[in-house]
Amino acid sequence: MCAIEVEPPRGRSTETRPVVATERLLLRAPVMADAPAVAELANDPGVARMTTSMPYPYGLADARDWLGKAERADPRDEAVFAIEHRQFGFIGMLVFDEPAAGRMELGYWIGRPFWGRGYATEAASAALGWARAEWRRNVVWAGHFADNRASGQVLCKAGFLYTGDVVARPCAARGGEAVPTRMMVWLA
Ligand SMILES: CC(C)(COP(=O)(O)OP(=O)(O)OC[C@H]1O[C@@H](n2cnc3c(N)ncnc32)[C@H](O)[C@@H]1OP(=O)(O)O)[C@@H](O)C(=O)NCCC(=O)NCCS
């Protein structure tokens, strides 16, 4: 894993956006041109139903709206990465954000055609390495729905431990239903 800095898109402030490179992937700032690929892969109940906020169905307008927010995010508080496969292009997203002040959380999704090949584990591990070395974060939280064993596996393999806490989190794609969510923590 290595991290390099790239210039922001034209019109942005002077801060730079990190790029994290792994053997098969590039984690880079998302851009509006990603919208069609985001909409195509995100419009999948198997993806949206495992996240708190992604709607289903998920259209181009949802992707544009989300990418606009990502572009405006303050990189001191949030890090949003498009996960790009060196051969296949855009395959998913990875986000560090702070749903509660002072509590950085990791979230991600991978498009269904790319499941089961270790990409989420590779992306999460590299992103955490970057967060520790470049972003100076020592504690990262994550929560996965109790019926999402695959994400639990990803988080365990990336070095997270279960805290024992199970909280109810609403899921937009399940009609706002509160879903038991197993909390995990990663310590640098
Ligand atoms: C969860 C998700 C990110 C996994 O992506 P991925 O690239 O397929 O994950 P990886 O290939 O890195 O690893 C998946 C691990 O989970 C395991 N796994 C996959 N499906 C599983 C299941 N149904 N039950 C238990 N383990 C499962 C795999 O075997 C693998 O572990 P292994 O390498 O030890 O065999 C992807 O399925 C996804 O985007 N799902 C929808 C959105 C989501 O869940 N986001 C996370 C919200 S917390």
Side-chain angles (χ1 to χ4, degrees), residues 33-57:
D34 293 319
V38 172
E40 186 183 336
L41 293 177
N43 190 32
D44 177 342
V47 171
R49 287 173 59 83
M50 293 304 176
T51 71
T52 52
S53 59
M54 288 168 77
Y56 181 78

Side-chain angles (χ1 to χ4, degrees), residues 46-47 50-51 108-110 114-121 143-144 148-151 153-154 157:
V47 171
M50 293 304 176
T51 71
Y108 46 77
W109 60 268
I110 299 283
F114 307 102
W115 288 0
R117 301 187 211 171
Y119 295 141
T121 304
H144 71 83
N148 189 359
R149 289 178 52 215
S151 189
Q153 279 290 103
V154 169
K157 287 164 73 177

Side-chain angles (χ1 to χ4, degrees), residues 164-181:
D165 292 330
V166 179
V167 301
R169 288 196 164 174
C171 173
R174 302 187 198 197
E177 176 192 332
V179 183
T181 304

